[in-house]
Each structure stands twice: as C-alpha cells, then as structure tokens.
Amino acid sequence: MAQYRKKQVIIEAVQWNGNTNQIEIENFVGKKLKLELESETAYVAGQAPPIFSILIETKEGVMKAFKDDWILKEPFPTGDRDFYPCKPEIFEKTYEKID
C-alpha cells in the first residue's frame, strides 16, 4: 500500500480566550459573531468572569468554539466555509508557528 504525507500548508489562526477577544476574532473573520453563555458559576460567585462560546458559521453549519479553541482560516477559501474552530490539542499536533 502506498503512503502519503500531507503537503505543507500555511494557515492563519486566532485563539479564543472564552471572554475578552471577541472583537479580535470578528476582525479576523470579517463579521459580527454571536456568543453563547457556557458558564457563569464562577462569575456569580465573584471569582472569575463568565465563560462564553463563540459561534462560527461553516459549510457544515454553525460550530461552537470554546475557551482556548483556535479559529482557523482555510488557505483556500471555499465560499461560506473560510473559518472553522480547532481544539488546542489538535492545533498543537498539526501546526507549528512560523516567523
């Protein structure tokens, strides 16, 4: 059986911090995004800010990005699916930062 290696692809990405960088992500994707409240327990107790997910529209439908997820821009835009969320552990195994 033949083996194949994934070709090198350079992407752009921004990490969602779960609360305060919504504007940075909206500027990255080029439109206003909706948030959903995921946890307000610590906020109500006065110990931490509320945690939100951010909704990303993709070709497969709306996907949620949770705290620490990365928002990736596809290197080859395909219409309505230019951006999508990626879990941090997958991002770290798949991508390395370039200078």
Side-chain angles (χ1 to χ4, degrees):
M1 177 184 296
Q3 293 182 325
Y4 299 87
R5 181 184 320 226
K6 188 175 181 179
K7 293 180 182 179
Q8 182 179 359
V9 176
I10 297 173
I11 63 155
E12 295 177 51
V14 176
Q15 192 170 28
W16 170 236
N17 69 16
N19 197 336
T20 61
N21 68 333
Q22 178 181 358
I23 292 172
E24 177 185 16
I25 293 175
E26 289 176 343
N27 288 337
F28 180 62
V29 302
K31 63 181 172 182
K32 183 87 171 142
L33 300 171
K34 295 179 183 177
L35 299 179
E36 284 191 0
L37 182 63
E38 296 295 332
S39 173
E40 64 177 339
T41 306
Y43 176 69
V44 171
Q47 297 177 1
I51 302 297
F52 294 93
S53 62
I54 194 163
L55 305 179
I56 306 295
E57 294 178 28
T58 72
K59 187 176 182 180
E60 289 83 20
V62 176
M63 298 178 78
K64 283 186 179 183
F66 295 94
K67 183 178 187 300
D68 296 329
D69 284 357
W70 288 86
I71 311 304
L72 280 56
K73 180 179 181 180
E74 288 187 331
F76 309 105
T78 55
D80 59 350
R81 186 175 182 254
D82 296 335
F83 301 90
Y84 57 95
C86 179
K87 293 293 178 197
E89 55 275 4
I90 295 170
F91 185 86
E92 289 173 15
K93 289 178 183 177
T94 308
Y95 302 99
E96 61 184 16
K97 189 174 182 179
I98 58 175
D99 295 321

